[in-house]
Amino acid sequence: MAWALTPLTEEQREIQRVARDFAMHEIAPHSAKWDRDAYFDPSLVEKLGALGFLGMLLPEEYGGLGLDTLTYLVALEEIATVDASVAVMLSVHNSLPTQMILRWGTAEQKKRFLEPMARGEMLGAFALSEPEAGSDAASLRTQAVRDGGDWILNGTKAWVSSGTKGDVILAMARTDTPDDRRGARGISAFIITPELPGYSVGKKEDKMGLRASPTVQLHFSDMRVPGNRLLGQPGSGFIYAMQSLDNGRLGIAAQAIGIAEAALRYAASYAAERKQFGKPIKEFQAIQFKLADMAMRVASARALLHMSATAKDRGEHMTQFSAMTKLLASETAMAVTTQAIQIFGGYGYVKDYPVERLFRDAKVTEIYEGTSEIQRIVIARELYSH
Ligand code: CAA
């Protein structure tokens, strides 16, 4: 069962219960079908908005719940134990676009976007990567050029989660010029909405896992963006994206731990029922050792996540903690789902049982919001940076 490093408060337990009940009643009955059909149910956004879950980290003045980071992550883990596709939609929306507008937006931008985002009337997305710029995010090529008071954007963004439904997309584009390239400092952040002329949704990826979370390319073709959609300072967009990913990576860690927790529970109960050689397989040490290692990994990853959540709320520098937490949690998800399949044997390899989906969903947590290799680079760099 989920536990915290320090006991959760009554309010935290209440939010956890709300998340669990919502996941059991509104998500669990549909998850297998949504996965099979690669279907994203738009009514979920409305329902999660009504619950306050799309404004978990926003202050009450913008219609948010104003939760602390630990409470948010505990709720996110609960949702992820049932459906990791729903969890990534929540994680991206709550950790990236809403937080970017809250932190760097003008009063006008906050008023225009944050309340509808908190209510679930607008879903947020984050567009940093491009077909040729993945781990090397600063090499992105989407170009923004000044035209009077507006900007004209051209380029293609890739791997955009919630992209078919994205109503407010925080997109990074170059604002330096070919004659004066400034690397990471030549990138700015823009608030994009789908009605802008020149915006179109491109290829929807046919993914191994997280199939109920639509991942798309976005095309900007001479897209005219009003000047008041620039976020913060020109040339600071890459820094904003990196600082925001320090938050986002905690959300992905909570998602990964939810996946691992679910795999552990399914494997433990299957091992108690499944009989071979005349007794339940949980009686065999080979299985006990696997379950013990799985439980230990989940507990360790959760402990680090909860420590990071409280460090973040104390205002500590999060780059290294976030990278460590995401790395441990995603490798835990992969290791635990792999062992869960092994415990299920052949039944783990077919779609009749949910561990097969958990295994597919786990893999991407080692890839998106920075691969495990990038997390190791970030952790190692931070060792020498202070
Ligand atoms: N916080 C604040 N500033 C940061 C920072 C951070 N965490 N990381 C870097 N910066 C700053 C640096 O200090 C530097 O600033 P100065 O110009 O003042 O020196 C500037 O940003 C450039 O930094 P680097 O020189 O370190 O840049 P780099 O090109 O070497 O790249 C990297 C660093 C860590 C490899 C980075 O590119 C990275 O994180 N790559 C992975 C990208 C990623 O996570 N993509 C995920 C996309 S979102 C997604 O997955 C989809 C989804 O919707 C779920």
Side-chain angles (χ1 to χ4, degrees), residues 129 135 161 185 239 242-243 246 249 319 368-370 381:
S129 305
S135 290
S161 301
R185 289 285 176 173
I239 314 281
M242 290 297 116
Q243 287 180 339
D246 286 348
R249 287 169 184 165
T319 303
Y368 64 13
E369 296 208 14
R381 279 187 185 181

Side-chain angles (χ1 to χ4, degrees), residues 67 92 96 129 138 146 162 176 186 214 221 243 252 255 293 300 302 324 345 370:
L67 299 179
V92 169
L96 298 170
S129 305
R146 265 278 183 202
S162 307
D176 56 6
S221 172
Q243 287 180 339
I252 300 306
Q255 179 205 28
D293 286 350
S300 323
R302 187 178 290 122
M324 285 180 176

Side-chain angles (χ1 to χ4, degrees), residues 72-325:
Y72 156 63
L73 294 170
V74 164
L76 197 54
E77 183 192 323
E78 286 296 332
I79 302 283
T81 57
V82 170
D83 194 316
S85 291
V86 180
V88 75
M89 181 249 282
L90 279 171
S91 175
V92 169
H93 177 94
N94 280 292
S95 314
L96 298 170
T98 49
Q99 289 302 296
M100 291 176 84
I101 296 173
L102 179 68
R103 188 157 176 199
W104 295 291
T106 60
E108 184 205 342
Q109 289 169 339
K110 289 182 198 176
K111 192 167 161 37
R112 160 112 196 250
F113 295 109
L114 291 184
E115 282 188 27
M117 289 176 92
R119 285 197 296 264
E121 290 158 14
M122 290 180 137
L123 185 65
F126 179 76
L128 174 66
S129 305
E130 298 185 355
E132 304 293 328
S135 290
D136 184 8
S139 70
L140 66 87
R141 290 190 205 153
T142 294
Q143 184 72 52
V145 177
R146 265 278 183 202
D147 185 42
D150 298 340
W151 294 88
I152 305 294
L153 268 65
N154 277 289
T156 295
K157 307 308 283 186
W159 312 113
V160 183
S161 301
S162 307
T164 47
K165 171 74 182 81
D167 303 299
V168 182
I169 301 108
L170 263 290
M172 273 38 79
R174 308 211 71 84
T175 45
D176 56 6
T177 60
D179 302 337
D180 183 20
R181 286 293 180 215
R182 297 184 175 200
R185 289 285 176 173
I187 295 169
S188 302
F190 292 89
I191 306 172
I192 304 300
T193 46
E195 84 289 353
L196 292 174
Y199 173 96
S200 63
V201 176
K203 179 182 174 218
K204 181 180 170 221
E205 305 295 346
D206 185 8
K207 307 197 301 288
M208 168 197 278
L210 284 197
R211 292 180 53 76
S213 160
T215 304
V216 297
Q217 290 193 347
L218 297 178
H219 300 299
F220 306 154
S221 172
D222 286 333
M223 180 172 71
R224 183 168 289 277
V225 179
N228 64 4
R229 295 294 188 81
L230 177 74
L231 185 82
Q233 295 302 314
S236 294
F238 184 78
I239 314 281
Y240 298 163
M242 290 297 116
Q243 287 180 339
S244 304
L245 284 168
D246 286 348
N247 298 333
R249 287 169 184 165
L250 294 183
I252 300 306
Q255 179 205 28
I257 293 166
I259 296 170
E261 172 73 30
L264 170 61
R265 287 184 206 164
Y266 282 123
S269 51
Y270 183 79
E273 286 162 18
R274 171 75 169 166
K275 286 193 179 133
Q276 290 292 279
F277 304 102
K279 53 185 177 180
I281 60 171
K282 81 172 168 62
E283 306 292 331
F284 294 103
Q285 244 180 18
I287 301 296
Q288 290 167 3
F289 284 8
K290 283 190 199 307
L291 288 169
D293 286 350
M294 290 157 76
M296 175 196 65
R297 284 177 193 263
V298 173
S300 323
R302 187 178 290 122
L304 186 58
L305 178 70
H306 289 196
M307 190 197 83
S308 289
T310 51
K312 178 175 180 301
D313 286 343
R314 282 196 307 272
E316 291 190 24
H317 177 69
M318 287 308 295
T319 303
Q320 192 181 43
F321 278 144
S322 296
M324 285 180 176
T325 309

